Amino acid sequence: MKFDSNISKDEYIKFWKSNSNQHFLNSYYWGEINKKNSGRTPLYVGLRDENNNIVCETLLLRKDTPFKMCYLYAPRGYLIDWDNKEVLKVFTEELKKYMESINTIYLRVDPAVSYQDIDLEANPIPGGNNNYELFNYIVSIGYQHKGFYKLYNGNQPRYTFRTINKNYYNFEEVEQTISKTFMRSIKRSYNYDLVIEESNSIDEFYELVQKVSQKDGFKAYTKKYYEDIFNEFKKDNYIKNFIAKINIDKVIAKFEEQVKSEKNEDRINKLNKDINFLKENRKSDKDLVIASLICIYTENGAWSLYIGNDNIAEYTGTVNRLYYEFMKDAYLSNKEFSDLFGTVGDPHTKYKNLAGIYEYKRKLGGTYIEWLGDFDLVNKKFWYKVLPILLKIYRTIKR
């Protein structure tokens, strides 16, 4: 087998499409997005057999440092059969040589491979499946594990909720995994005559995500960043932007007519509450986009990635409805899974609102998954120890 340090775009995408470990983060598209936005150079490398066929490949994101050195990151791991120890060992040996040739300090890799089956408290399930043997083998061939972190300590979350679609005979069975309170809010959203459709623009999404960032106190990415993500993955139809529209005037008129004929006092009060809220938040007599959910697809799976919404969407249950529509679309599109893209491994953490994020995603059902975590392949031991200190000083000065 021989190492290829420059796999072509077409070859890389073709192999990525066919590999069971494909992830949007180890795609060619993600590499190009990083080149435009993060100052990292994408490298597309792999291993070929004696017939020149690719047997494994990976995206490496290169970040240059002073003294003409660099460090590398392989997001969500190699496109490889992780059970094939021979290929993994040879590829690792070749990566070490390549790292030396380009003056690399270290390479970090975080495979989207399950570590062990866990319950909803993140405890291992007795007798459940695990990949302890693979974990130990990765360490034995030179990788350093960075620890079983529970929060968002690494490049990517080490836990997620994922609905495995093959486990369900139909989507009605998937609905049964969603919490009853969520399903009630999803069903309630139909009262507002929402129009759910796909949009080829992120303009409305960006306006909405700005509102969320101001409300929740986080800094949104630039519009260019979201546009680059959308445009790159849209080239091969690997991205969808689900939007929800409402016509407030029409809904108010409908509810006012219902009040006239309604006899139940509780129902009248609820209708009047809706009418008053909608009148107070009326912004236009036209269809209004109140929520937007950007989702990325691959051949195998689907991930919900970014959401923007306003207070009308929260009141009407539209946020839950969009996640529901995403999960339904992934199921009906025969994707193996729909992934809510990250949560914590400590359901009761007091840090920020991470426990709230866990609880929200838990209520949408799915399997709670723990990934192996981050591994570093170190080439320059001294600089590997010094680099975090230098980066901390640099970032402090920059701030």
Side-chain angles (χ1 to χ4, degrees), residues 126-162:
N129 296 319
N130 67 72
N131 278 308
Y132 301 157
E133 182 181 349
L134 172 61
F135 176 92
N136 292 330
Y137 183 73
I138 292 172
V139 172
S140 75
I141 58 175
Y143 294 84
Q144 297 182 25
H145 189 244
K146 300 304 294 178
F148 296 104
Y149 58 86
K150 296 284 188 176
L151 305 182
Y152 294 161
N153 309 83
N155 289 77
Q156 305 297 334
R158 209 171 69 81
Y159 296 81
T160 194
F161 278 101
R162 176 176 284 190

Side-chain angles (χ1 to χ4, degrees), residues 180-370:
K180 291 181 180 179
T181 55
F182 267 40
M183 281 306 302
R184 280 198 293 270
S185 71
I186 290 165
K187 290 177 180 178
R188 177 171 171 261
S189 73
Y190 285 89
N191 295 335
Y192 304 97
D193 298 333
L194 300 173
V195 175
I196 310 296
E197 61 187 27
E198 291 181 45
S199 173
N200 285 319
S201 168
I202 67 147
D203 291 343
E204 292 142 333
F205 162 81
Y206 188 68
E207 289 180 12
L208 291 166
V209 83
Q210 291 288 95
K211 294 179 181 179
V212 175
S213 68
Q214 292 169 10
K215 175 182 170 233
D216 294 347
F218 71 89
K219 186 177 180 181
Y221 295 106
T222 65
K223 187 175 183 182
K224 178 183 179 301
Y225 172 80
Y226 293 118
E227 285 177 337
D228 286 341
I229 288 179
F230 192 80
N231 292 334
E232 279 295 331
F233 282 101
K234 194 66 177 175
K235 290 176 182 177
D236 288 322
N237 296 315
Y238 284 129
I239 196 165
K240 295 183 180 182
N241 178 14
F242 294 101
I243 61 172
K245 294 180 178 179
I246 187 173
N247 189 301
I248 290 180
D249 285 358
K250 290 181 179 179
V251 176
I252 290 173
K254 183 182 82 168
F255 287 170
E256 287 177 337
E257 284 299 311
Q258 290 176 359
V259 167
K260 293 177 183 177
S261 58
E262 182 60 57
K263 304 299 182 184
N264 183 283
E265 194 66 30
D266 287 341
R267 177 62 181 155
I268 291 172
N269 290 336
K270 289 179 180 178
L271 286 167
N272 282 328
K273 180 183 176 183
D274 280 353
I275 291 167
N276 291 334
F277 174 86
L278 292 173
K279 284 182 176 180
E280 289 172 3
N281 289 273
R282 182 184 180 279
K283 303 170 187 176
S284 171
D285 61 351
K286 300 177 181 178
D287 288 350
L288 183 68
V289 176
I290 57 174
S292 174
L293 178 65
I294 292 180
C295 307
I296 294 184
Y297 292 65
T298 66
E299 299 294 313
N300 295 342
W303 291 260
S304 60
L305 201 56
Y306 304 116
I307 190 161
N309 60 271
D310 63 13
N311 61 328
I312 301 174
E314 292 179 359
Y315 179 87
T316 57
T318 304
V319 175
N320 296 347
R321 172 75 177 278
L322 279 191
Y323 279 109
Y324 169 85
E325 295 290 347
F326 154 69
M327 293 168 63
K328 185 176 181 180
D329 183 72
Y331 186 92
L332 297 179
S333 299
N334 295 317
K335 299 303 177 184
E336 292 181 11
F337 58 82
S338 57
D339 192 307
L340 298 180
F341 196 54
T343 188
V344 293
D346 179 1
H348 309 290
T349 179
K350 303 298 182 184
Y351 185 72
K352 294 186 177 180
N353 188 36
L354 297 186
I357 294 173
Y358 163 89
E359 185 63 13
Y360 185 88
K361 294 185 177 184
R362 180 192 67 79
K363 288 181 178 179
L364 283 166
T367 302
Y368 193 24
I369 295 175
E370 177 184 9

